[in-house]
Amino acid sequence: MAVIKARPFDITITPEKIALVVIDMQRDFIEPGGFGATLGNDVTLLQAIIPATARLIDGFRRAGLPVIHTRECHAPDLLDCPPAKRARGKPSLRIGDPGPMGRILIAGEDGADIVAALAPLPGETVIDKPGKGAFYATPLGDILQEKGISQLVFAGVTTEVCVQTTMREANDRGYECLLATDATESYFPEFKKAAIDMMTAQGAIVGWAATVDQIVEALDA
Ligand code: C5J
């Protein structure tokens, strides 16, 4: 057992029961020409968290603890993409359209890949998800149950969309959730702050928040 200094209060972790979930650190959200950029967002904001996310992943790997990666993407025939999702917003390219990194948010295309600096190692779980939450229409819940996991550390993008949705799904399923504050980012810094404040309020109503240093320090101890 180890204690992580966290908001709104310290959290005790049990190494055999904890896993890291890195949400959607994909080229389509982080590099120019992808889904995030087609929606008019400044993707450089998200690029800035790559080094801290890499340190967090390294900390879990060093401790021999599970690292799970997710990718938001759809089947090439788009049968798992609700028309309402595809029609949303005013992107210059819609989901499934051909872009500079292949078809936007389609499994197997270059844009759906995780950025090279955070590439999964052989043997690490990679979950492809059609929704914002990583539990919806995926085997994530079964995989965590098989591994005996009850505590989850979250990183990735974007804080108030896929990260927050997944933390809320996990919290409702009984997992203790901790967000790594400098390994998550939003295209809207004020939304990141609001999401963290919301989730940690009321005595960690959705979960806890701590920095990568605070988490890795506890894992190394
Ligand atoms: C979004 C995500 N923002 N991974 N996806 O559409 O947060």
Side-chain angles (χ1 to χ4, degrees):
M1 302 236 278
V3 175
I4 298 179
K5 290 197 178 309
R7 276 172 58 191
F9 52 88
D10 295 354
I11 175 171
T12 302
I13 58 160
T14 307
E16 312 84 67
K17 291 178 185 284
I18 198 163
L20 172 64
V21 182
V22 184
I23 304 277
D24 301 356
M25 290 298 288
Q26 295 163 256
R27 300 183 65 195
D28 260 329
F29 292 110
I30 293 173
E31 294 185 10
F35 186 59
T38 73
L39 286 161
N41 296 305
D42 174 5
V43 293
T44 60
L45 282 169
L46 272 48
Q47 288 166 13
I49 66 160
I50 291 174
T53 309
R55 280 195 298 114
L56 182 61
I57 292 173
D58 282 348
F60 271 78
R61 286 177 181 157
R62 214 168 34 244
L65 301 176
V67 178
I68 296 167
H69 308 258
T70 72
R71 302 185 292 206
E72 182 178 348
C73 57
H74 295 277
D77 59 11
L78 291 175
L79 285 177
D80 60 359
C81 181
K85 178 178 181 182
R86 188 160 191 262
R88 198 76 49 84
K90 285 195 176 13
S92 52
L93 294 171
R94 293 198 181 275
I95 296 169
D97 287 349
M101 295 186 284
R103 292 178 67 201
I104 299 283
L105 280 197
I106 297 296
E109 302 284 344
D110 290 349
D113 267 354
I114 291 166
V115 294
L118 306 178
L121 289 183
E124 289 179 349
T125 302
V126 180
I127 302 279
D128 283 349
K129 62 187 186 59
K132 303 304 183 195
F135 287 83
Y136 166 69
T138 76
L140 179 59
D142 291 341
I143 290 169
L144 294 175
Q145 220 171 344
E146 272 164 31
K147 291 182 187 293
I149 300 296
S150 60
Q151 297 184 310
L152 295 170
V153 173
F154 286 94
V157 297
T158 60
T159 316
E160 80 284 9
V161 185
C162 291
V163 176
Q164 177 170 215
T165 302
T166 304
M167 275 186 70
R168 288 177 181 275
E169 285 182 327
N171 185 50
D172 281 350
R173 285 164 172 77
Y175 294 93
E176 289 186 308
C177 301
L178 169 66
L179 179 59
T181 52
D182 45 344
T184 184
E185 196 47 89
S186 170
Y187 300 119
F188 308 93
E190 69 276 23
F191 290 176
K192 170 180 174 175
K193 181 185 179 314
I196 295 171
D197 287 349
M198 264 182 237
M199 292 195 286
T200 56
Q202 304 179 76
I205 196 150
V206 175
W208 287 255
T211 64
V212 168
D213 282 348
Q214 286 170 325
I215 297 167
V216 171
E217 215 169 274
L219 293 178
D220 284 342

